């Protein structure tokens, strides 16, 4: 994810599970599975996946979707729908989308190439390479902590520092005033700014601007010809336009949403195609050739930093990869990305030889992606794996009081302006009611200590998990939602409490029995 947590994205996340009340497909299928081999029989699980994608497009009014799948030794690449409702062209496996934060895994892979060459040591401090680097309280932060999202400073920093070749240098200099939220290496909090810093480390150690270094270190050696930081490099490509919606919920093309500041390129600036994303997945499922040794490739998935939640429970991040546990044991390697109107998912299961990427061109795309990449629908059918079990249980008012309060997340906008998003949590019916601007936006039932599911107000599963982070004294200090930290301010006497009746707790949708 590149885009910040906002009121809009909070409501979108909570409503994802209930969004299927809309009807009517926005587009028909325009591309069949590709590269499976002429006349090859498509397995039932693959057919189910493609049907699931098309059903989600209809339910959530998504104009276009491209997909790439590697399953049981075969590739499937294709697309459905249209690139732009205003000027429709068919989506296929070569249609260009913004992949947003999956770019981070490219940045991390470039750092690993430089690590192999002895140019960067993951366990040295950032200041060993950038002596002038300063943040509020992080002189000892290491390169590894930068890459595993435990650097500890505010992560949603979207300052636009221009379009020149010095944009990353200026961006990193501006981090000097960014507040430190937690000590380095202690808490996972999704950090766009830290990956921007990693981009600057690539520049300093190669002597080339970030985009040029990425092309020579990663893109060109892997022959990713449909992947670039600017559309000028992809002349003649068919591009999927971002879409919002009008007052009636109909998709509306918003081409200007494709533009992001150059300062964010390391964290989320790549354009790519489903075909190239599948090639990227196959590289990471392989032996490292031609970029890395097998050991270095696998080291990107070793030694995770602190764990927590990022829509699902995670063991932590390795070198930019989210490491997700399963009930059966095999680990899922995951990412994905979010920009306005461009949302995608990406996962690998090395022990099952599975890779899946799905790219959407709509603000409603996260509803489908939640079903495929946060819920375990796809993992179950394609790899026989499941999420860690989560059976909701009611808590007493006394138990819930330790979590009630106002939670505030901060961010810095493109011009350096500070902004915040506030979520009020109130005990109601054995769970927490999450309210934005006084209106219930979500329901948070607990399923184990400090861990909650996220439901829509009507109890529909949003396929999202969140957790609370405790301060050193043992009290709840933060809510981690969407990987971001919301600082808690406990309520005053009689504040925020409600006596409203709420529906009975509903069982979370899991395709397997809950386990201890």
């Amino acid at each position: 994810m590149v885009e910040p947590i906002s009121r809009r994205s909070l409501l979108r996340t909570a409503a994802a599970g209930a969004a299927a009340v809309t009807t009517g497909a926005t587009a028909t299928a325009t591309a069949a599975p590709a590269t499976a081999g002429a006349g090859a029989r498509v397995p039932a699980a693959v057919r189910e996946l493609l049907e699931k994608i098309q059903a989600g497009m209809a339910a959530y009014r998504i104009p276009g979707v491209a997909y790439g799948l590697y399953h049981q030794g075969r590739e499937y690449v294709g697309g459905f729908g249209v690139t732009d409702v205003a000027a429709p062209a068919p989506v296929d496996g070569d249609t260009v989308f913004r992949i947003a934060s999956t770019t981070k895994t490219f940045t991390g892979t470039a750092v690993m190439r430089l690590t192999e060459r002895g140019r960067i040591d993951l366990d040295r401090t950032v200041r060993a390479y950038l002596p002038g680097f300063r943040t509020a309280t992080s002189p000892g932060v290491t390169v590894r902590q930068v890459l595993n999202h435990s650097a500890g400073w505010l992560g949603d920093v979207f300052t636009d520092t221009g379009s020149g070749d010095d944009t990353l240098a200026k961006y990193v200099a501006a981090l000097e005033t960014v507040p430190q939220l937690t000590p380095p290496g202690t808490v996972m909090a999704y950090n766009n700014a830290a990956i921007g810093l990693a981009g600057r480390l690539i520049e300093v150690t190669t002597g080339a601007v970030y985009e040029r270094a990425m092309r020579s270190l990663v893109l060109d050696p892997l022959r990713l010809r449909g992947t670039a930081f600017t559309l000028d490099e992809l002349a003649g490509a068919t591009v999927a336009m971002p879409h919002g919606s009008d007052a009636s919920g109909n998709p509306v093309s918003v081409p200007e949403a494709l533009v992001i500041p150059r300062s964010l390129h390391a964290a989320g600036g790549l354009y790519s195609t489903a075909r190239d994303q599948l090639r990227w997945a196959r590289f990471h499922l392989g032996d490292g050739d031609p970029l890395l040794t097998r050991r270095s490739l696998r080291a990107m998935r070793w030694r995770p930093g602190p764990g927590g939640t990022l829509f699902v429970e995670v063991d932590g991040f390795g070198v930019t990869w989210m490491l997700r546990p399963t009930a059966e044991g095999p680990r899922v390697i995951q990412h994905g990305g979010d920009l306005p109107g461009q949302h995608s998912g990406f996962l690998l299961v090395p022990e099952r030889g599975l890779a899946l990427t799905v790219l959407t061109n709509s603000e409603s795309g996260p509803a489908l992606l939640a079903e495929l990449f946060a819920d375990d629908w796809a993992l179950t059918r394609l790899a026989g794996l499941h999420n860690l079990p989560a059976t909701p249980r009611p808590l007493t008012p006394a138990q819930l009081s330790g979590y009630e309060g106002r939670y505030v997340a901060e961010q810095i906008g493109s011009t350096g302006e500070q902004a915040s998003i506030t979520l009020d949590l109130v005990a109601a019916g054995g769970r927490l009611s999450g309210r934005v601007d006084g209106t219930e936006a979500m329901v948070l039932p607990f399923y184990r200590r400090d861990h909650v599911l996220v439901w829509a107000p009507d109890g529909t599963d949003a396929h999202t998990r969140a957790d609370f982070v405790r301060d050193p004294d043992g009290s709840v200090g933060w809510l981690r939602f969407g990987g971001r930290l919301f600082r808690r301010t406990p309520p005053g006497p009689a504040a925020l409490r409600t006596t409203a009746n709420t529906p009975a707790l509903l069982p979370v949708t899991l395709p397997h029995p809950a386990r201890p």
Side-chain angles (χ1 to χ4, degrees):
M1 173 184 289
V2 172
E3 73 171 347
I5 290 287
S6 63
R7 182 183 186 278
R8 174 176 57 84
S9 59
L10 274 175
L11 296 172
R12 182 185 65 210
T13 298
V21 297
T22 60
T23 59
T26 60
T28 57
T30 58
T35 68
R41 183 182 177 188
V42 178
V46 178
R47 289 200 306 272
E48 285 185 32
L49 172 66
L50 302 186
E51 291 166 0
K52 176 78 168 177
I53 290 172
Q54 292 175 84
M57 292 175 67
Y60 306 125
R61 300 187 183 185
I62 303 170
V65 172
Y67 64 86
L69 171 67
Y70 183 66
H71 176 61
Q72 296 182 346
R74 289 181 174 173
E75 291 189 354
Y76 305 87
V77 181
F80 302 104
V82 297
T83 58
D84 186 346
V85 296
V91 171
D92 61 25
D94 297 305
T95 300
V96 171
F97 292 75
R98 281 278 195 195
I99 64 167
S101 281
T102 304
T103 304
K104 291 178 172 68
T105 66
F106 288 75
T107 300
T109 301
V111 171
M112 285 304 297
R113 290 209 75 186
L114 296 170
T115 298
E116 274 198 351
R117 295 175 181 180
R119 304 291 298 278
I120 292 178
D121 182 334
L122 297 181
D123 295 309
R124 293 191 71 188
T125 67
V126 171
R127 284 190 180 179
Y129 307 97
L130 297 175
F133 173 68
R134 298 288 185 276
T135 63
T137 57
S138 295
V141 68
T142 67
V143 176
R144 189 182 299 277
Q145 290 163 351
V146 164
L147 296 169
N148 70 20
H149 296 273
S150 69
W153 58 73
L154 180 66
D156 278 344
V157 181
F158 302 102
T159 313
D160 184 349
T161 52
S163 58
D165 287 350
D166 60 350
T167 183
L168 268 180
K170 290 179 177 178
Y171 178 84
V172 169
L175 296 180
E176 182 173 346
T177 60
V178 170
Q180 189 77 19
L181 305 182
T182 57
T186 63
V187 176
M188 183 199 82
Y190 195 77
N191 200 313
N192 285 296
I195 307 302
L197 173 59
R200 179 59 180 154
L201 289 175
I202 291 170
E203 290 188 332
V204 170
T205 53
T206 63
V209 296
Y210 169 77
E211 296 86 356
R212 190 176 306 131
M214 291 299 295
R215 181 150 296 284
S216 65
L217 289 169
V218 178
L219 302 182
D220 285 348
L222 290 180
R223 300 190 301 278
L224 299 176
R225 298 186 178 92
T227 303
F229 288 97
T230 68
L231 291 178
D232 289 343
E233 300 171 81
L234 301 172
T238 301
V239 181
M241 290 296 118
H243 290 78
S245 60
D246 63 18
S248 300
N250 300 309
V252 177
S253 177
V254 190
E256 58 270 25
L258 280 177
V259 179
I260 68 170
R262 188 178 178 185
S263 55
L264 305 183
H265 276 186
L270 277 175
Y271 292 93
S272 193
T273 67
R275 192 178 308 280
D276 268 13
Q277 287 293 280
L278 193 56
R279 183 184 290 270
W280 183 239
R282 294 290 305 276
F283 163 71
H284 276 280
L285 287 175
D287 61 5
D289 185 66
L291 301 187
L292 297 170
T293 63
R294 185 188 298 269
R295 180 180 178 84
S296 291
L297 186 73
R298 293 187 176 181
M300 295 186 70
R301 313 194 291 258
W302 295 344
R303 293 181 59 184
T309 61
L310 181 56
F311 306 114
V312 294
E313 290 188 61
V314 299
D315 293 329
F317 278 79
V319 176
T320 64
W321 284 113
M322 186 176 89
L323 309 181
R324 171 183 174 183
T326 64
E328 291 76 14
R331 181 175 273 167
V332 178
I333 313 303
Q334 191 162 337
H335 220 287
D338 296 279
L339 283 167
Q342 299 264 290
H343 302 274
S344 59
F346 186 106
L347 64 77
L348 313 168
V349 187
E351 291 183 51
R352 295 289 193 269
L354 173 69
L356 175 64
T357 183
V358 175
L359 303 102
T360 74
N361 65 348
S362 172
E363 271 297 87
S364 57
L368 171 60
L369 297 174
E371 294 180 6
L372 295 175
F373 293 91
D375 187 23
D376 49 14
W377 187 96
L379 286 176
T380 299
R381 286 156 180 79
L382 298 170
L385 301 175
H386 306 87
N387 266 319
L388 298 181
T391 301
R393 58 186 177 87
L395 299 189
T396 66
Q399 290 172 316
L400 290 169
S401 66
Y403 299 96
E404 287 185 289
R406 172 158 288 180
Y407 291 79
V408 181
E410 300 174 338
Q411 57 194 244
I412 296 175
S414 61
T415 62
E417 76 279 10
Q418 296 186 349
S420 63
I421 177 70
T422 299
L423 180 66
D424 292 319
L425 297 186
V426 182
R431 61 201 185 189
L432 294 171
S433 170
R435 303 177 180 186
V436 178
D437 297 337
T439 300
E440 187 171 62
M442 65 188 71
V443 175
L444 305 178
F446 283 82
Y447 63 92
R448 66 181 174 91
R449 186 175 189 260
D450 294 342
H451 286 70
V452 293
L453 301 167
V454 180
W455 292 349
D458 66 357
T460 306
D461 188 2
H463 308 301
T464 295
R465 304 184 186 194
D467 67 313
F468 293 89
V469 178
R470 293 182 178 269
D471 286 333
D473 65 3
S475 63
V476 172
W478 310 86
L479 168 67
R480 181 163 37 207
F481 185 96
R484 274 61 169 209
L485 293 179
F486 287 65
R487 189 187 299 273
R488 177 181 182 235
T489 302
L496 300 178
R497 292 192 175 274
T498 179
T499 58
N501 293 323
T502 57
L505 288 173
L506 302 176
V508 66
T509 302
L510 286 176
H512 61 286
R515 300 171 186 159

